[in-house]
């Protein structure tokens, strides 16, 4: 019975050494046998915010009131929402924006799309009226409008 060939040698041209555990090169050519985990204290604090009772309740409330992905719904597609998104990235504004924000229900691909747009300074909000793009400086105006319509 034929077997699948295993790539056990380093892929550097001409090298005959065995490859490392975590990539396709040997240790001489930049391979790694140890998994690198770069989690700073700031990142741990950031991630801890999503384990708070406030966030668990907020997430449950958001997904129970809007269980359909808002972005897909704007496109005429019905898809279940799996993630709750802060409209304005609170890491760029400050810790107060973790609680004081507009939330939207999104599926994983739409959330990834929105996060990619944020790297270009575009903050996308999918509403019943359609798509609205904001900038980070629009946060105060949108919050006043959201809480005092």
């Amino acid at each position: 019975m034929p077997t699948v060939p295993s790539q056990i040698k380093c892929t550097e041209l001409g090298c005959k050494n065995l490859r490392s555990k975590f990539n396709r090169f040997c240790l001489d050519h930049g391979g790694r046998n140890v998994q690198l985990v770069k989690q700073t204290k700031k990142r741990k604090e950031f991630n801890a915010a999503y384990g708070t009772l406030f966030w668990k309740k907020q997430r449950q409330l958001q997904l129970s009131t809007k269980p359909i992905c808002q972005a897909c719904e704007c496109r005429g597609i019905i898809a279940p929402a799996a993630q709750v998104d802060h409209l304005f990235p609170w890491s760029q504004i400050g810790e107060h924006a973790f609680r004081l924000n507009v939330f939207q229900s999104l599926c994983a691909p739409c959330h990834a799309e929105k996060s990619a747009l944020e790297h270009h300074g575009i903050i996308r909000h999918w509403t019943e009226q359609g798509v609205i793009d904001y900038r980070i400086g629009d946060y105060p105006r949108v919050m006043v409008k959201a809480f005092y319509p």
Side-chain angles (χ1 to χ4, degrees):
M1 175 182 247
T3 60
V4 177
S6 60
Q7 183 67 29
I8 59 169
K9 298 287 183 187
C10 176
T11 56
E12 183 71 24
L13 188 61
C15 184
K16 303 285 184 204
N17 295 334
L18 295 176
R19 66 173 242 164
S20 63
K21 189 174 178 182
F22 288 105
N23 69 15
R24 56 194 183 112
F25 298 103
C26 67
L27 296 176
D28 294 338
H29 293 110
R32 294 189 329 266
N33 280 336
V34 203
Q35 184 70 18
L36 297 177
V37 178
K38 293 182 180 179
Q39 194 164 48
T40 62
K41 183 180 177 186
K42 187 175 181 178
R43 187 69 192 172
K44 285 181 184 178
E45 290 171 3
F46 178 85
N47 289 342
Y50 290 99
T52 61
L53 183 61
F54 165 79
W55 182 251
K56 289 176 184 177
K57 286 184 177 183
Q58 181 64 40
R59 184 179 187 282
Q60 184 178 19
L61 175 68
Q62 179 69 29
L63 290 176
S64 64
T65 56
K66 294 184 180 178
I68 305 297
C69 174
Q70 292 175 231
C72 290
E73 195 173 22
C74 280
R75 297 175 179 128
I77 302 167
I78 303 298
Q83 299 177 356
V84 176
D85 174 63
H86 289 82
L87 177 60
F88 290 93
W90 66 276
S91 59
Q92 294 179 20
I93 295 170
E95 288 184 29
H96 67 282
F98 184 78
R99 291 174 177 256
L100 217 84
N101 215 318
V102 176
F103 301 101
Q104 54 186 356
S105 302
L106 299 174
C107 64
C110 292
H111 190 260
E113 175 189 337
K114 181 184 178 289
S115 296
L117 288 171
E118 287 173 358
H119 292 295
H120 299 288
I122 300 167
I123 297 165
R124 181 148 295 167
H125 188 199
W126 286 278
T127 66
E128 294 172 1
Q129 294 78 29
V131 176
I132 303 171
D133 286 342
Y134 295 111
R135 298 282 176 192
I136 202 78
D138 295 330
Y139 173 76
R141 180 178 54 83
V142 173
M143 288 300 100
V144 167
K145 188 177 175 183
F147 292 102
Y148 304 103

